[in-house]
Amino acid sequence: MRAVLRWYLIVFGIVCVLIALAHIFIGPSTIIGANTPNATLDGDLRFSMVLFGAYGVACVWAALDLDRRAGVAHLLMLLFFVGGLVRLLTVAYVGWPHWFYIAMIVVEIVTPLVYSPLLSRVTGRPIRDDLVATAQ
């Protein structure tokens, strides 16, 4: 199971980096169902994708030593979960997005709820302990 979690996080991180690069270099046309944005939204998207790319790199980095960096992996999963919850703000304020992004909400909420408990079981440490150790 440790190897599965490690490789999952590596592939997950690489996919995040590739998504970020597509949005940075191709632009908003990579967003399914979106209209052409103005320069402000275009710049905002490209800027935030730099952060998403860094998130992907951090996932790969955490996966390379999952036992020692489990707290980082849990924190990254927490951020992904919160990102999914934030997408629900769009639903509340603007309405439902394209079906693909509805599926992404599910992925963003469910993945951390499955991954972190499995990682906790593999390391034999509670999630909280790993997060606290990471913060110190």
Side-chain angles (χ1 to χ4, degrees):
M1 179 58 71
R2 178 176 271 111
V4 170
L5 293 175
R6 179 176 177 261
W7 280 106
Y8 177 84
L9 197 56
I10 290 170
V11 171
F12 178 78
I14 291 169
V15 168
C16 291
V17 169
L18 292 175
I19 290 168
L21 290 173
H23 286 300
I24 290 167
F25 291 110
I26 299 171
S29 65
T30 58
I31 300 174
I32 300 165
N35 297 325
T36 304
N38 61 27
T40 301
L41 287 175
D42 183 291
D44 210 30
L45 170 71
R46 292 176 200 258
F47 173 84
S48 64
M49 285 299 109
V50 171
L51 301 176
F52 190 59
Y55 175 89
V57 169
C59 287
V60 172
W61 178 77
L64 294 178
D65 192 352
L66 205 47
D67 283 323
R68 287 188 346 173
R69 300 177 185 146
V72 174
H74 290 306
L75 180 61
L76 291 167
M77 286 295 124
L78 177 61
L79 289 170
F80 199 61
F81 179 80
V82 171
L85 294 179
V86 168
R87 281 195 196 264
L88 293 175
L89 288 176
T90 297
V91 174
Y93 288 115
V94 183
W96 288 100
H98 185 276
W99 68 264
F100 176 80
Y101 294 100
I102 296 171
M104 288 309 303
I105 292 169
V106 174
V107 169
E108 292 158 355
I109 291 173
V110 171
T111 297
L113 295 176
V114 172
Y115 187 90
S116 278
L118 287 175
L119 180 57
S120 179
R121 184 178 304 159
V122 164
T123 63
R125 297 184 305 265
I127 295 168
R128 184 181 187 282
D129 289 357
D130 281 331
L131 287 170
V132 168
T134 298
Q136 294 176 343

